């Protein structure tokens, strides 16, 4: 079958490893994801004597849950610069939206995007039409 050869898959931007045809992500211009709300950056790291700064247990739990949900959605991959719109379900009056951006971009790094340094623009906000403790991310190619 010509469409499933290694050469045909690689020409379409699909990564193939170790002689097994494993689709990591297919190229896309727009990806929409629904994920759990990450912990604030203020609670994502902790100091551990002898180790330095490490991920907090709360952040590790969120990352595992969010990554599992991300994989189930089988998103496409944005190649190159990208723009992100992050809509979060409001949790309380005092929560800072900017503390939620970095964990979300780090989560999709290497799967949906190449690297978060390629972010050309990001817009984030609390919205009423997204359930509390949930996030809807729209990532599109900046080109």
């Amino acid at each position: 079958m010509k469409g499933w050869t290694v050469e045909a898959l690689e020409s379409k931007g699909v990564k193939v490893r170790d002689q097994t045809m494993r689709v990591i992500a297919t190229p896309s211009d727009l990806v929409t994801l629904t994920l759990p709300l990450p912990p604030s950056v203020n609670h994502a790291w902790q100091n551990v004597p002898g180790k330095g700064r490490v991920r907090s247990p709360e952040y590790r739990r969120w990352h595992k849950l969010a990554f599992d949900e991300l994989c189930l959605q089988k998103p496409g991959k944005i190649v190159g610069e990208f723009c992100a719109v992050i809509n979060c379900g409001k949790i309380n009056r005092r929560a800072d939206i900017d503390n939620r951006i970095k964990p979300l971009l780090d989560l999709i790094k290497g799967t949906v995007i190449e690297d978060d340094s390629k972010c050309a623009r990001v817009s984030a906000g609390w919205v009423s039409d997204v359930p509390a403790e949930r996030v809807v991310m729209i990532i599109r190619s900046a080109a």
Side-chain angles (χ1 to χ4, degrees):
M1 200 157 105
K2 184 179 177 189
W4 291 100
T5 65
V6 172
E7 295 78 21
L9 289 170
E10 287 176 343
S11 72
K12 293 179 179 164
V14 177
K15 294 181 182 178
V16 179
R17 295 199 274 182
D18 301 322
Q19 302 300 322
T20 60
M21 292 188 201
R22 180 176 157 216
V23 175
I24 309 262
T26 55
S28 181
D29 289 330
L30 179 75
V31 174
T32 302
L33 301 167
T34 303
L35 300 165
L37 185 70
S40 169
V41 170
N42 298 333
H43 301 287
W45 303 93
Q46 64 185 26
N47 292 319
V48 175
K51 289 187 177 182
R53 303 273 294 161
V54 298
R55 291 179 175 181
S56 69
E58 179 184 6
Y59 183 84
R60 287 194 309 266
R61 278 191 301 275
W62 169 81
H63 193 276
K64 178 168 181 4
L65 175 66
F67 190 76
D68 289 347
E69 285 191 31
L70 172 69
C71 291
L72 288 173
Q73 294 176 52
K74 299 179 182 173
K77 183 167 182 91
I78 305 291
V79 178
E81 288 192 339
F82 68 94
C83 300
V85 176
I86 301 170
N87 295 319
C88 301
K90 186 75 170 154
I91 50 173
N92 66 47
R93 286 184 37 223
R94 299 189 52 178
D96 289 342
I97 192 68
D98 58 328
N99 287 335
R100 312 301 170 142
I101 297 170
K102 181 69 174 156
L104 289 164
L105 293 180
D106 285 347
L107 175 73
I108 63 172
K109 182 171 54 176
T111 54
V112 176
I113 59 171
E114 296 168 316
D115 191 74
D116 55 347
S117 66
K118 302 225 180 210
C119 184
R121 181 177 305 238
V122 65
S123 174
W126 300 108
V127 295
S128 59
D129 59 340
V130 173
E133 301 288 336
R134 300 296 294 172
V135 175
V136 175
M137 288 182 73
I138 303 165
I139 305 106
R140 67 172 176 81
S141 177

